[in-house]
Amino acid sequence: MNHEKRTFEFYVLAIFFIVFVLFLYGPLSAIVILSFQGPDGGLTFPLNGVSLHWFANLFEKQAVGDFGASFQRSFILGLMVMVVTVVVSLLAGLAFRRRFRGSSLLFYATVASLVVPSIIISLGIGVVFQQGGLPPAWYSSAFGAHLTWTLPFGVLIMFAVFNRFSPAYEEAARDLGASSWQTFRHVVLPMIAPSLIGVGLFGFTLSYDEFARTLMTSGTYNTLPLEIYGMTTNVTTPVLYALGTVTTLFSFTIILVALGIMTMLGRRQAKKS
């Protein structure tokens, strides 16, 4: 069997990809390794023993940092943002399938927040809440600030999905006597379900680790990114690395669950067809 000879450009891109992966995961791997320091270990190499001491220390009362409560706030906020992002992005995608007056202006207004510095949006929302006599909080002002970040991405994704969606499937369903709701529920929704899961995952992860748009809008109680940032100036033990390892594993778990659901839906759709 003849194999096509690799070009010089292929090796250049391969080297670039390897360097990129090392740059991306190298520091992360160092944090993971250092989180397994022994009880007398420090923040740098070499390891002083190997143990799960600092992971157990996460669940004990800390002199600095509130891991459990901040994680809970970030998780709930991420779920709130995820649900709203999916629903609004889906409705926007359906609405923009037909041209209407002011659609271009509405589109550019939606994506405008992507080009505005995040800290400016955070500052503006925080000031508006304070001037209105409403105390900023993670479930109100921070919630709105996160939506200015997740909604434009969700809307753009759904635009791309519906741009490739053939109306012939809907026309066939109507020819068979299906109503508009039945067509959407049994034809459109199953076909775009993997994309909706992707939008939801995107919205959750963007909210879960958002720092800049939360800084001025979270109010009295920190989300997890703010809590970790505050700990970097106060905590001098590997418990900070253990927290980073746990949150990273949680993020990867969410991604794997989403991929599993998308795979299951894809197989179910293939069986039906």
Side-chain angles (χ1 to χ4, degrees):
M1 181 180 296
N2 295 327
H3 295 281
E4 185 177 350
K5 187 177 180 180
R6 302 292 189 185
T7 62
F8 173 76
E9 291 79 5
F10 170 82
Y11 292 104
V12 172
L13 291 175
I15 294 173
F16 175 80
F17 177 75
I18 293 173
V19 172
F20 171 76
V21 171
L22 292 176
F23 180 81
L24 181 63
Y25 292 103
L28 180 61
S29 62
I31 290 176
V32 172
I33 294 172
L34 288 171
S35 65
F36 291 95
Q37 285 267 30
D40 298 324
L43 294 174
T44 58
F45 288 102
L47 289 176
N48 188 0
V50 178
S51 73
L52 298 176
H53 172 79
W54 301 110
F55 291 95
N57 191 252
L58 279 174
F59 301 97
E60 299 174 358
K61 187 176 181 179
Q62 303 289 322
V64 179
D66 187 2
F67 309 136
S70 60
F71 169 78
Q72 184 179 15
R73 286 189 286 269
S74 287
F75 184 75
I76 295 175
L77 179 59
L79 291 179
M80 292 166 56
V81 171
M82 178 185 71
V83 171
V84 174
T85 300
V86 170
V87 173
V88 175
S89 298
L90 173 60
L91 296 178
L94 291 172
F96 274 85
R97 295 182 73 186
R98 295 183 180 180
R99 299 285 296 181
F100 56 89
R101 182 176 298 179
S103 59
S104 298
L105 178 62
L106 182 59
F107 169 76
Y108 287 115
T110 302
V111 301
S113 63
L114 295 179
V115 298
V116 179
S118 298
I119 193 66
I120 298 299
I121 292 179
S122 176
L123 178 62
I125 293 177
V127 170
V128 169
F129 266 71
Q130 290 177 353
Q131 292 298 316
L134 300 173
W138 62 271
Y139 53 81
S140 57
S141 53
F143 174 60
H146 285 202
L147 287 177
T148 65
W149 183 233
T150 62
L151 278 179
F153 284 109
V155 169
L156 290 175
I157 292 173
M158 293 312 301
F159 283 1
V161 170
F162 282 114
N163 187 51
R164 297 181 303 167
F165 190 86
S166 174
Y169 298 108
E170 297 166 278
E171 295 173 0
R174 295 192 190 98
D175 290 341
L176 294 174
S179 63
S180 298
W181 169 247
Q182 289 174 327
T183 300
F184 172 76
R185 179 182 177 185
H186 298 290
V187 178
V188 178
L189 190 58
M191 296 182 70
I192 66 173
S195 299
L196 290 178
I197 294 174
V199 170
L201 177 63
F202 208 45
F204 179 85
T205 53
L206 285 178
S207 172
Y208 179 73
D209 63 1
E210 178 59 27
F211 176 82
R213 296 181 191 236
T214 318
L215 185 61
M216 303 293 182
T217 58
S218 64
T220 306
Y221 300 101
N222 286 338
T223 57
L224 188 59
L226 295 180
E227 197 73 23
I228 293 176
Y229 177 76
M231 290 171 56
T232 57
T233 59
N234 297 292
V235 177
T236 57
T237 64
V239 69
L240 182 60
Y241 297 148
L243 178 61
T245 300
V246 170
T247 54
T248 301
L249 289 176
F250 173 77
S251 300
F252 277 111
T253 300
I254 294 294
I255 295 173
L256 291 176
V257 169
L259 291 176
I261 295 175
M262 293 174 65
T263 302
M264 182 182 66
L265 291 175
R267 290 178 178 176
R268 182 178 298 179
Q269 191 69 21
K271 290 180 180 179
K272 290 182 179 181
S273 60

